[in-house]
Amino acid sequence: MSEQQTGRLYGVGLGPGDPSLMTVRAVEVIAAADVVAYHSARHGRSIARSIAERHLRPDHIEERLVYPVTTETTDHPGGYRGAMEEFYADAAARLAAHLDAGRTVAVLAEGDPLFYGSYMHMHKRLADRYPTEVVPGVTSVSAAAARIGAPLVEGEEVLTVLPGTLPEEELTARLATTDAAAVMKLGRTFPAVRRALERSGRLAEAQYVERATMGAERVAPLAEVDPESVPYFSVAVLPSRIDAQAPARRGEVVVVGLGPAGPLWLTPEARGELAAAEDLVGYTTYLNRVPKRPGQHRHASDNKVEAERAEFALDLARRGRRVAVVSSGDPGVFAMATAVLEAAAEDPYREVPVRVVPGMTAAHAAAARAGAPLGHDYAVVSLSDRLKPWEVIAERLRAAAAADLVLALYNPGSRSRIWQVGKARELLLEHRAPDTPVVLGRDVGGPEERIRIVRLADLDPAQVDMRTILLIGSSQTRTARRGDGTEIVWTPRRYPER
């Protein structure tokens, strides 16, 4: 059937509930339509119809699309999903019959038709067959923000919209990570959403908006809402943090692992702690990895003043500040967690709360790029003799090599330390074959990333600097050339019996 002979399909956004928030275009489309369709539960009442009711004509053909199930169970052989798929197919067929007859069909949708709306199921089944227009509407998120009277997002903040039906752990991670958020589909999910907000440290910021712009509208701090009173048509909102009144809290220090490079290596927990901090403390190079936020204070220092940096952070926390001390990789691996905890174990810092948030280690990042060289037992050793004598390092290298452990060597060299790599190679060759695989991972995750695999006998100290980590294989470590020409390294999990 040609386009001229068919009717036109409209997905009409009605806004959040107040009929006066319908757009002019929505009113025009409804007025000109032959058929008005809307979804409803089995009780027959339709919120969408009630919003548009003043614009319905007596001669409108009304198609009531009644859900076979909402939250209850079903005996459909395909379960809930099967019942809904059958319903959408049947509803689409009913609308298609009108369109084939040349009638214009307006499908009503609360909020915006393509924002968690039921209309999208009709759109996916019909829009490729009939001329279609989607009329956008004001979303419940926009309405909720307006009712709260606070900016939803400002500047470069990120807004995350989440369905409350997500698993609680997933909700917690995403809420901890984002600047601002709206959580939809509450009702029965409210207790889990509340726990996720509490676990992510965001509960004090959260606002609750019920039936925004409707007659029974309610706005309250989410922490004060009775879970038994929450309907489906409600939204949890975390508004903009910029200029927001920070909730009163005791000062604390959180040592945050940034991973080996940029934002892709941050955990959700780390992102959340960085966003929530009032003060950021760290080595200048690492602080530069953290996006700047309005209202945050950044305290940069040289890489050789770890003890002073730790005490400075703890002093800020004693004055009631929430402080994040940033550390590359994992803060507990040759990094800032030790310095902070050492200082916090002494007066006057014993009462200052200190937490450590893990990060991706350089060893694990480099290993993943190369394959799986750390697939069996391994040891981690720093080659820096700035804080321990070389004799101790040499003794540990010999012991690990004699035990046939894979080795991850941190801090292998710098401008002032150029001989340790060569000496380590000599020591290891006393116990390892010359062709033992060695992974050189430089600037992993960064713009100058380079992964190379060489033989232990060919390890050149001149190609190693402080931005490089070395992974030395055991007697069992293997290499292979893949079909695309790349070389991979792995250490089998099974060790041969002796």
Side-chain angles (χ1 to χ4, degrees), residues 69-424:
V69 289
T70 49
T71 60
E72 65 271 20
T73 59
T74 176
D75 57 3
H76 191 282
Y80 176 84
R81 184 177 295 276
M84 294 305 293
E85 283 296 319
E86 185 176 292
F87 162 68
Y88 290 132
D90 176 68
R94 289 165 59 189
L95 300 185
H98 289 295
L99 293 165
D100 289 338
R103 301 185 188 103
T104 298
V105 177
V107 182
L108 308 183
E110 305 98 309
D112 182 271
L114 298 179
F115 185 76
Y116 292 118
S118 295
Y119 163 75
M120 66 182 65
H121 298 286
M122 300 299 97
H123 189 85
K124 288 186 288 187
R125 289 166 172 80
L126 298 172
D128 62 336
R129 297 159 50 193
Y130 304 97
T132 302
E133 178 184 336
V134 176
V135 180
V138 177
T139 69
S140 58
V141 173
S142 299
R147 286 301 186 256
I148 291 170
L152 191 56
V153 277
E154 297 184 59
E156 296 179 349
E157 287 186 311
V158 174
L159 171 66
T160 300
V161 180
L162 302 164
T165 49
L166 285 176
E168 187 176 322
E169 287 286 335
E170 183 70 15
L171 282 170
T172 302
R174 290 180 181 266
L175 290 169
T177 301
T178 192
D179 299 308
V183 186
M184 317 283 292
K185 304 183 181 182
L186 296 185
R188 295 187 306 159
T189 70
F190 183 81
V193 172
R194 190 189 189 285
R195 288 193 299 270
L197 285 162
E198 187 167 24
R199 292 175 61 191
S200 63
R202 309 295 298 274
L203 182 59
E205 306 166 51
Q207 296 293 312
Y208 171 83
V209 183
E210 177 182 316
R211 296 188 172 91
T213 78
M214 299 184 193
E217 177 182 284
R218 179 167 58 135
V219 179
L222 189 137
E224 299 175 6
V225 174
D226 177 6
E228 297 298 323
S229 69
V230 176
Y232 181 83
F233 289 100
S234 52
V235 183
V237 180
L238 290 175
S240 169
R241 282 174 157 169
I242 299 176
D243 298 328
Q245 181 67 41
R249 70 176 89 220
R250 186 183 181 191
E252 68 171 340
V253 172
V254 184
V255 192
V256 180
L258 301 180
L264 288 175
W265 299 86
L266 278 175
T267 67
E269 183 181 18
R271 286 180 183 273
E273 294 296 346
L274 293 173
E278 298 170 287
D279 295 83
L280 299 179
V281 176
Y283 173 39
T284 303
T285 300
Y286 302 151
L287 271 183
N288 289 340
R289 293 184 189 170
V290 183
K292 293 184 178 180
R293 293 174 179 271
Q296 272 186 343
H297 302 277
R298 301 164 78 95
H299 310 274
S301 56
D302 183 79
N303 199 30
K304 298 179 181 178
V305 291
E306 291 184 353
E308 294 90 334
R309 188 185 304 141
E311 291 182 3
F312 176 77
L314 290 162
D315 278 325
L316 286 173
R318 287 179 69 205
R319 300 202 296 269
R321 308 288 291 180
R322 184 168 183 174
V323 185
V325 177
V326 301
S327 186
S328 182
D330 182 276
V333 181
F334 305 123
M336 277 302 300
T338 299
V340 172
L341 292 170
E342 282 182 346
E346 304 293 336
D347 290 329
Y349 307 120
R350 292 179 186 271
E351 303 304 318
V352 176
V354 175
R355 292 185 290 119
V356 178
V357 174
M360 170 68 72
T361 70
H364 294 161
R369 289 291 201 249
L374 305 182
H376 208 297
D377 302 337
Y378 66 93
V380 179
V381 177
S382 171
L383 292 190
S384 173
D385 60 353
R386 190 167 68 86
L387 299 177
K388 64 179 181 288
W390 173 255
E391 290 74 20
V392 172
I393 298 172
E395 182 180 356
R396 291 176 178 178
L397 289 175
R398 289 191 182 97
D404 200 24
L405 295 172
V406 176
L407 275 162
L409 301 183
Y410 279 70
N411 306 315
S414 67
R415 293 189 185 93
S416 61
R417 293 191 298 104
I418 58 176
W419 59 270
Q420 282 91 338
V421 173
K423 190 63 178 175

Side-chain angles (χ1 to χ4, degrees), residues 260 265 360-374 439-442 444 451 469-471:
W265 299 86
M360 170 68 72
T361 70
H364 294 161
R369 289 291 201 249
L374 305 182
V439 176
L440 291 83
R442 186 179 189 279
V444 178
I451 303 294
I469 187 166
L470 301 177
L471 306 178

Side-chain angles (χ1 to χ4, degrees), residues 10 12 14 22-37 52-61 104-108 135:
Y10 290 92
V12 184
L14 303 177
M22 291 173 60
T23 65
V24 172
R25 181 60 179 154
V27 172
E28 291 174 345
V29 168
I30 293 171
D34 301 306
V35 180
V36 175
E53 185 172 12
R54 70 178 68 171
H55 304 291
L56 299 182
R57 306 188 313 268
D59 63 331
H60 267 135
I61 301 171
T104 298
V105 177
V107 182
L108 308 183
V135 180

